[in-house]
Structure formats: C-alpha cells, structure tokens
C-alpha cells in the first residue's frame, strides 16, 4: 500500500493535504513522506507507527528511550548508518535494534553476522533515528561526564583557574544537559562550591560539584555568550544565545539572580522544533479527547489551557491546531518564544526591546483576516480584553493562563477587569493540566496498596472506578537510565462552559459553587484523573503526590 493511502486509512491525513503535498513535491522534488512531515500534516513518529502496524513490528519512541552504551560499542557507526538501523540494547542473549523501513532484512543479517546474537527488530521513526544515532555515537566517543570530572580535578589543584579549563568546563556542562535531555541547567553557588543540577522530566537531578574557584569564570563565559553585563552582579539579568550541536540548533535562555553566595544561573534549553503530537497522543482520557476534538472545531470563542510553567500547555495548544483545518482557516500566533514551527500558520514572537508584546500583536491581528488566533499567554488586562473582543467578533481564540485548576481561571480573568457578561458569552472551555512521569514498562513492579496508605496520601475513593488496590512503583533499569520512569504524560481536567455555568459567571457566586456545578456537568478533576493513571499502571502514587495531590 502506498504511504499516502496508508495514512488516509489511519485517519492521519486527508485527501486535500495529500494533494497539497504532491503539489509541493512537483516544485521541490522531495519525497512524499518527508514533505508530509515538513508541512506538519503528520509527524515522523506517526508515519513510523503506521508502517509498524502494517508490518506487524513493535514500535519504539526514541524520545522516551535510553540507548545502551554497551550495545553501541558492538556495532561501528558507519555500518549502522549505511544500512539504516541503530542498536538499542542487549536483552536475554539477544540484541534489540531499531529500523526505519519494515523490509530492512540486511540490518538483521548484518547484526547477526557482527555480534553472533539474534536480533529483535523494532520500528523507529526516521527523524529520531538520525538524531539518536549521531548523539549516541558522539557521546560514546566523547564521554562528557569524564571530561567534566577531569576539569574538576585540574581546578582542585589550581591556584588560578586556567581560562581554557573554564571554557571547556562551561561548554561540557551544557553538552551534558543536552545529553541527559534536560530542560534546564541550574548553576548554584554555595560557600565553598558550585552545585550543578539538571531538570529532567520535570524533576531536578544532581549533576556535579565544582570548586568555587571556577565560579567567576563560568558565570562570565555564560554572560558573555548571552550578551549580558558582566560587571552587573547586584540585579537580575536575562539573555539568550544559540548553540548548534550535531546539526541541530538549540536556543539557550539564560537568567541570573543575585544570592548571598553569588549569582545563581539557570539555563533553559529549547531544543528547536520538537515532535508535534495529536490530541489523542497527549494522555487525556478517551472521553476527554472527544470533548477536546469538538471544542477545537468551534468557529469562535475562547479556549484556555492552564497550569504552571513546564506543564505542557504549548504542546497542547499545537496539538489543538492540528485539529483545525489549516488549509481552510487562517491561523495567526504570537508566542514567547516560538517553540514549534508549523506550515500554513503565521507565527510571530514577542520582542520586548521593540515593544512588540501580546497586547500589541492582538490589536493588529484583526487586520490579517484571521479565523483562529493563538495568544501564547494572557498575562495582563489589555491582552485579556483583546482576547474577549476577538472571540465575540467571530474568532476562535486559544491561549494559556497560569492557574492551579480549571475553575480558578474564571476569577483570574475577572481580576483582569473583564465584564462578567462578556466573559460568560466568550469563554467556551478551560483545560487544566499537569505532566507526570510515566513508569518504565520494562522494570515497573506491582505491589498491593492498603486503605490506610491511600488515606494518608489523600488518594482514597469510595467509588469502585477510582479504588486503588494494586499500584506500580519505579524500580530502575538500563532502558530508563535507572530512574524507573520513561517520558511524561498529561493529567488534565476539562471544564466546558455550558448555560448553567454562564449564568453563574454573570452572578457573584463562590468558587465552590462554580466547581460543584462543573463537576455535576461532567468535569473530572486532576486528582481523579491522576488516580485513574495509577490504576492503569501508567504512573506511580509518588508521582501523583509530587505533582497533583
């Protein structure tokens, strides 16, 4: 079956999008599969998963997988790259490999010939294949952790820190963050040392302890890269710089604040264009997926995604855009920064230096004949009023807000001095969400949970559908880098604004009454959705306690 036909049968693409891709193919000469990914119609993972299902081969998402260094040593890079496979790990006297095309028999024969072990074949996506192959062999040949340890040893015996050692150490600390798939690097000074932490899957993990003698050099190098004032140490500063590593561009957002032991530095790693997900793949419950899919087909109104920083709000917004017919509807976005690049969407990024913010963009968007407007965040009164005005004039407005749950979005918006009647008529839904780590399917272990333990953790429920009798806990293995977790998933609650809630919004009622009404009309709380994920063995009680309860 041809790729276009296969993707249509899987409901991943429509005929008009195939035809548009074919039109682009006539001009560019690019392969159809690559074009479909480039245009944002499907992701590389979705193509690989469809091919895997057709061929009856299990699929592995490389973004949630740690490739074993032990197995990488067995196969030369040039052979793996030429034949189109990547060794994954050793298991039960067999070797697991990932291939990008189901008919790659040569990969099986080659692995058996080189290693003498029987290969177990898994399907992987082509984008993930190239990136993972390059990273795996690079870090095998360049053990960054060992290099950092060597630099630390040199600094311990130095009276004056050598500039070359400081420069190399600073670069390696960032490279280690990329290697660990961290989202943030924390460089924290103490009395005698510098502590380095990496935020991985939403949790800080300890990295290195560096002699304090290196402090000034590391901070100065990062400040110079970020175009910050190296002489200013009394005030917070923000900057950024770009780094290209293995043909991939990383944007680094740098923040410094003064502390009693020196400036604390945090580097946010933005890895460029990530994999665009669909609503069905985020982790929402099946009934919530249906509700969301209907919501994003609305011609007008406001739909808000709420949650703390790092809870996946932007990813959900872009998953929502994939539910919209981008060929028939004009979509304009303003973000801080643009994290995903998607074809047929007019994307802009705020620029405080020029005065271009969410409010200014919102005021001028109307002249661009939009159908859908995505405001990266509602953070002030003017932006909130622009969102309401746009929605009541026939536009679908998607945005984010920082609140703890769905219901508290209403008083938060009213705090922006929005008229109650206008808010009730324009707000269609609020989605609150958190990200929890998923247990590693290879090493997670089941254990019985007592009622006493559940009451202690505030997870006990009388209803049978939310009763936890058996839970799973993290154990740790080579596949998950000994953490017990692999990847993250959404826990969410969706509040649909119906006529009853609209009337309550126009009145001055308590938050509890709003919440009770929302629950009565079908909203399932973050806590209950989290319990359901524990029952299904997706995450652990410890994760739900850490993130939600």
């Amino acid at each position: 079956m041809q790729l276009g036909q296969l993707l249509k049968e899987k409901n991943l693409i429509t005929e008009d999008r195939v035809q548009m891709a074919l039109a682009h193919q006539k001009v560019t000469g690019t392969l159809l599969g690559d074009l479909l990914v480039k245009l944002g119609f499907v992701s590389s993972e979705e193509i690989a998963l469809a091919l895997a299902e057709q061929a009856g081969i299990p699929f592995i998402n490389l973004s949630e997988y740690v490739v074993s260094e032990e197995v990488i040593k067995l196969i030369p890079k040039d052979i793996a790259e030429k034949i189109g496979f990547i060794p994954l790990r050793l298991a039960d006297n067999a070797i697991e490999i990932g291939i990008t095309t189901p008919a790659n028999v040569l990969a099986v024969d080659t692995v058996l010939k080189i290693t003498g072990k029987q290969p177990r074949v898994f399907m992987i996506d082509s984008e993930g294949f190239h990136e993972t192959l390059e990273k795996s062999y690079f870090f095998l040949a360049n053990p960054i952790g060992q290099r950092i340890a060597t630099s630390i040893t040199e600094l311990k015996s130095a009276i004056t820190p050598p500039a070359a050692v400081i420069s190399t150490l600073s670069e390696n600390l960032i490279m280690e963050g990329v290697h660990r798939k961290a989202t943030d690097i924390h460089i924290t000074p103490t009395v005698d040392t510098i502590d380095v932490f990496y935020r991985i899957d939403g949790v800080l993990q300890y990295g290195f302890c560096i002699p304090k003698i290196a402090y000034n050099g590391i901070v100065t190098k990062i400040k110079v890269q970020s175009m910050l004032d190296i002489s200013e140490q009394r005030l917070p500063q923000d900057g950024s710089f770009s780094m290209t590593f293995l043909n991939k561009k990383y944007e680094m957002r740098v923040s410094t604040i003064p502390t009693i032991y020196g400036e604390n530095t945090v580097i946010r790693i933005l890895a460029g264009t990530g994999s665009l997900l669909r609503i069905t793949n985020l982790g929402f419950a099946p009934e919530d997926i249906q509700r969301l899919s209907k919501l994003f087909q609305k011609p007008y109104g406001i739909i808000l995604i709420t949650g703390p920083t790092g809870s996946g709000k932007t990813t959900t917004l872009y998953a929502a855009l994939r539910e919209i017919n981008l060929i028939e509807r004009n979509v304009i976005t303003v973000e801080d920064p643009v994290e995903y690049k998607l074809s047929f969407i007019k994307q802009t990024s705020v620029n405080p230096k020029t005065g271009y913010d969410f409010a200014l963009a919102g005021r001028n968007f109307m002249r661009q004949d939009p159908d859908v407007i995505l405001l990266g965040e509602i953070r002030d009164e003017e932006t909130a009023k622009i969102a309401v005005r746009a929605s009541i004039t026939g536009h679908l407005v998607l945005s984010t807000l920082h609140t703890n749950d769905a219901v508290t979005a209403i008083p938060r918006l009213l705090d922006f001095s929005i008229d109650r009647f206008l808010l009730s008529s324009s707000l269609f839904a609020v989605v609150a969400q958190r990200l929890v780590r998923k247990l590693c399917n290879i090493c997670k272990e089941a254990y019985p949970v007592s009622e006493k333990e559940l009451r202690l953790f505030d997870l006990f429920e009388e209803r049978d559908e939310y009763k936890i009798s058996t839970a799973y806990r993290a154990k740790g293995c080579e596949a998950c880098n000994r953490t017990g977790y692999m990847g993250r998933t959404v826990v969410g609650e969706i509040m649909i604004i119906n006529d009853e809630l609209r009337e309550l919004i126009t009145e001055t009622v308590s938050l509890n009454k709003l919440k009770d009404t929302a629950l009565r009309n079908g909203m399932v709380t973050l806590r209950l959705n989290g319990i359901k994920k524990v029952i299904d063995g997706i995450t652990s009680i410890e994760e739900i306690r850490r993130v939600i309860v």
Side-chain angles (χ1 to χ4, degrees), residues 360-422:
L360 179 62
R363 287 197 302 271
N364 289 275
F365 274 3
M366 298 304 176
R367 301 171 189 168
Q368 289 287 314
D369 184 32
D371 297 296
V372 181
I373 297 173
L374 188 153
L375 297 173
E377 182 184 347
I378 294 178
R379 57 174 64 164
D380 54 43
E381 183 177 322
E382 187 177 4
T383 309
K385 289 183 176 179
I386 288 168
V388 170
R389 196 176 303 124
S391 68
I392 62 178
T393 54
H395 304 88
L396 180 63
V397 179
L398 309 176
S399 190
T400 69
L401 196 66
H402 285 100
T403 62
N404 288 328
D405 55 27
V407 177
T408 51
I410 293 172
R412 175 77 174 125
L413 289 169
L414 292 173
D415 193 44
F416 287 135
S417 302
I418 296 177
D419 181 80
R420 286 180 175 273
F421 176 76
L422 290 179

Side-chain angles (χ1 to χ4, degrees), residues 1 55 64 133 141 147 231 243 257 274 290 325 469 484 515 534 543:
M1 188 183 298
E64 299 179 353
L133 186 80
R147 293 185 177 185
S231 64
M243 182 185 85
I257 61 166
Q290 292 182 0
N325 190 331
S469 57
K515 185 173 183 177
V534 171
E543 268 297 283

Side-chain angles (χ1 to χ4, degrees), residues 300-302 388 391-392 410 413-414 418-429 496-507 514:
Y300 60 87
I302 299 175
V388 170
S391 68
I392 62 178
I410 293 172
L413 289 169
L414 292 173
I418 296 177
D419 181 80
R420 286 180 175 273
F421 176 76
L422 290 179
L423 178 61
S424 68
S425 59
S426 60
L427 186 63
F428 272 24
I496 307 291
I497 309 299
N498 59 10
D499 291 339
E500 187 178 0
L501 279 169
R502 291 186 208 286
E503 287 186 16
L504 293 178
I505 292 172
T506 57
E507 303 169 4
L514 282 171

Side-chain angles (χ1 to χ4, degrees), residues 99-119:
I99 58 174
T100 57
T101 54
N104 193 347
V105 179
L106 183 58
V108 175
D109 294 339
T110 302
V111 171
L112 183 60
K113 184 179 179 180
I114 292 176
T115 67
K117 298 180 182 294
Q118 186 63 42

Side-chain angles (χ1 to χ4, degrees), residues 207-384:
F208 305 96
C209 180
I210 300 170
K212 190 67 175 282
I213 192 175
Y215 166 73
N216 287 328
I218 292 173
V219 173
T220 298
K221 178 172 175 59
I222 293 171
K223 279 188 168 185
V224 169
Q225 284 180 290
S226 310
M227 304 291 287
L228 300 179
D229 185 354
I230 60 174
S231 64
E232 180 57 76
Q233 300 176 2
R234 300 164 299 174
L235 295 172
Q237 295 189 70
D238 292 311
S240 64
F241 66 93
S242 300
M243 182 185 85
T244 301
F245 175 61
L246 298 178
N247 299 318
K248 184 171 183 178
K249 189 175 182 181
Y250 295 84
E251 294 291 337
M252 305 292 174
R253 297 296 175 102
V254 178
S255 171
T256 67
I257 61 166
T259 70
I260 57 174
Y261 299 120
E263 290 179 282
N264 190 78
T265 305
V266 176
I267 304 172
R268 167 65 59 89
I269 303 175
L270 300 173
T273 303
S275 175
L276 288 174
L277 299 175
R278 295 182 187 271
I279 289 292
T280 51
N281 298 332
L282 294 177
F284 288 102
E287 58 274 15
D288 285 339
I289 291 171
Q290 292 182 0
R291 299 166 83 188
L292 286 171
S293 297
K294 289 179 181 178
L295 278 172
F296 294 126
Q297 300 303 323
K298 297 283 185 183
Y300 60 87
I302 299 175
I303 300 174
L304 293 176
I305 314 293
T306 74
T309 302
S311 58
K313 299 187 294 296
T314 303
T315 301
T316 301
L317 281 179
Y318 269 88
L321 292 181
R322 296 192 71 186
E323 298 292 316
I324 294 168
N325 190 331
L326 300 179
I327 298 175
E328 295 181 355
R329 302 179 77 180
N330 183 23
V331 180
I332 305 179
T333 81
V334 56
E335 304 161 69
D336 182 21
V338 173
E339 293 185 34
Y340 297 95
K341 295 176 183 177
L342 198 59
S343 300
F344 310 109
I345 293 179
K346 293 78 181 174
Q347 296 173 273
T348 64
S349 182
V350 297
N351 189 342
K353 293 180 180 178
T354 61
Y356 184 63
D357 56 14
F358 290 114
L360 179 62
R363 287 197 302 271
N364 289 275
F365 274 3
M366 298 304 176
R367 301 171 189 168
Q368 289 287 314
D369 184 32
D371 297 296
V372 181
I373 297 173
L374 188 153
L375 297 173
E377 182 184 347
I378 294 178
R379 57 174 64 164
D380 54 43
E381 183 177 322
E382 187 177 4
T383 309

